């Protein structure tokens, strides 16, 4: 049973560019959440998708957008990249939105903005 | 708003020592509390959880008790191993999103 997978593993972009990160949830899971983890910090919640809609959002600008597909996989898009967007982007999946449901994390995508 | 504060690291211990990593939280209502662990080069893994006051979560020799009166969820282990070296995150869920602490890096010396 495959866990949460993310692609690509690493990515290098320049300021002003756009980037798309991808996530496939654990088999049987229908909810996907995205997090940004800056170096030496805890993950910061970006948003959560359930039934192909954004259900919750953290304190991130509109440059961060996402999508969930009918097969529950998800994309995170970041426009007009800034140096400060350099971070590890984590995807987590769960079954349903209940707050005590365990979230399973992927290994992350390391984004470097030059 | 909701927040989590955990002790700063790094924490360095010898193998078989007793471990405590402090975590306190601020939240409205009745959050669920979690400890996650992140091994080098990997994503986060749920270590243990507690969903209501006085619950004790435990896994792999680690324990933490949900203390509402002190708003704490300290992580403990009686005898650490080198393989426990990792970054540990305390977290809570309020309204369906997880809020993480900054993490505590743990080094265990053989």
């Amino acid at each position: 049973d495959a866990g949460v997978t993310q692609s690509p593993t690493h990515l290098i972009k320049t300021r002003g560019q756009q980037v798309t990160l991808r996530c496939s949830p654990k088999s049987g899971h229908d909810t996907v959440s995205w997090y940004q983890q800056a170096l030496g910090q805890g993950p910061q919640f970006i948003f959560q998708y359930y039934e192909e809609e954004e259900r919750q959002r953290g304190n991130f600008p509109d440059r961060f957008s996402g999508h969930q597909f009918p097969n529950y996989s998800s994309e995170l898009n970041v426009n007009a990249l800034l140096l400060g967007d350099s971070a590890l982007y984590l995807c987590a999946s769960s079954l349903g939105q209940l707050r005590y449901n365990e979230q399973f994390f992927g290994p992350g995508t390391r984004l470097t903005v030059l | 708003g909701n927040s989590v504060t955990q002790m700063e690291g790094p924490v360095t211990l010898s193998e078989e020592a007793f471990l405590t990593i402090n975590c306190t939280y601020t939240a409205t209502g009745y959050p669920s509390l979690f400890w996650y662990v992140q091994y080098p080069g990997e994503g986060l893994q749920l270590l243990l959880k507690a969903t209501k006051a006085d619950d004790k979560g435990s896994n792999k020799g680690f324990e933490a008790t949900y203390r509402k009166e002190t708003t704490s969820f300290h992580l403990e282990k009686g005898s650490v191993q080198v393989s426990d070296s990792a970054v540990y995150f305390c977290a809570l869920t309020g309204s369906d999103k997880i809020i993480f602490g900054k993490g505590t890096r743990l080094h265990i010396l053989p």
Side-chain angles (χ1 to χ4, degrees):
Chain A
D1 175 27
V4 179
T5 60
Q6 294 185 242
S7 63
T9 305
H10 296 87
L11 205 50
I12 299 175
K13 293 287 188 178
T14 57
R15 282 178 297 174
Q17 285 189 311
Q18 179 264 343
V19 68
T20 297
L21 311 181
R22 296 176 175 82
C23 171
S24 292
K26 180 179 170 63
S27 178
H29 285 183
D30 57 6
T31 302
V32 173
S33 302
W34 286 93
Y35 296 83
Q36 180 193 68
Q37 186 179 13
L39 198 62
Q41 301 294 315
Q44 298 290 314
F45 174 77
I46 303 176
F47 42 53
Q48 181 183 77
Y49 277 84
Y50 173 70
E51 292 186 337
E52 302 180 49
E53 291 189 14
E54 183 183 296
R55 301 291 181 167
Q56 295 273 346
R57 189 178 183 93
N59 295 324
F60 280 81
D62 292 344
R63 298 187 297 109
F64 289 77
S65 63
H67 189 77
Q68 186 178 34
F69 298 94
N71 67 352
Y72 307 120
S73 66
S74 177
E75 290 182 347
L76 164 65
N77 300 293
V78 186
N79 295 322
L81 285 167
L82 304 174
L83 296 179
D85 295 331
S86 295
L88 180 68
Y89 288 84
L90 296 169
C91 169
S93 73
S94 58
L95 179 60
Q97 292 185 281
L98 294 176
R99 60 183 176 89
Y100 48 78
N101 284 353
E102 179 178 354
Q103 293 197 4
F104 289 78
F105 284 80
T109 294
R110 173 74 61 187
L111 172 64
T112 301
V113 181
L114 302 177
Chain B
N2 295 348
S3 65
V4 173
T5 303
Q6 59 183 107
M7 63 187 292
E8 292 190 16
V11 173
T12 302
L13 297 172
S14 298
E15 203 167 23
E16 298 183 2
F18 184 86
L19 168 71
T20 300
I21 299 178
N22 291 336
C23 171
T24 57
Y25 68 90
T26 301
T28 55
Y30 303 94
S32 294
L33 302 175
F34 304 82
W35 277 100
Y36 280 83
V37 58
Q38 187 173 33
Y39 298 102
E42 298 183 14
L44 277 71
Q45 300 175 25
L46 178 65
L47 182 59
L48 53 84
K49 69 178 182 182
T51 58
K52 61 183 186 297
D54 299 325
D55 267 2
K56 177 184 282 187
S58 61
N59 186 26
K60 300 181 180 179
F62 291 90
E63 293 183 340
T65 301
Y66 189 144
R67 301 287 188 198
K68 189 166 177 61
E69 64 275 13
T70 55
T71 61
S72 64
F73 192 56
H74 305 322
L75 182 67
E76 296 181 336
K77 186 175 185 182
S79 178
V80 293
Q81 306 300 313
V82 172
S83 57
D84 294 328
S85 298
V87 181
Y88 292 81
F89 293 92
C90 184
L92 68 81
T93 59
S95 55
D96 294 320
K97 51 188 173 185
I98 294 182
I99 296 173
F100 287 88
K102 292 186 176 182
T104 302
R105 184 173 297 278
L106 175 65
H107 293 291
I108 306 300
L109 303 175

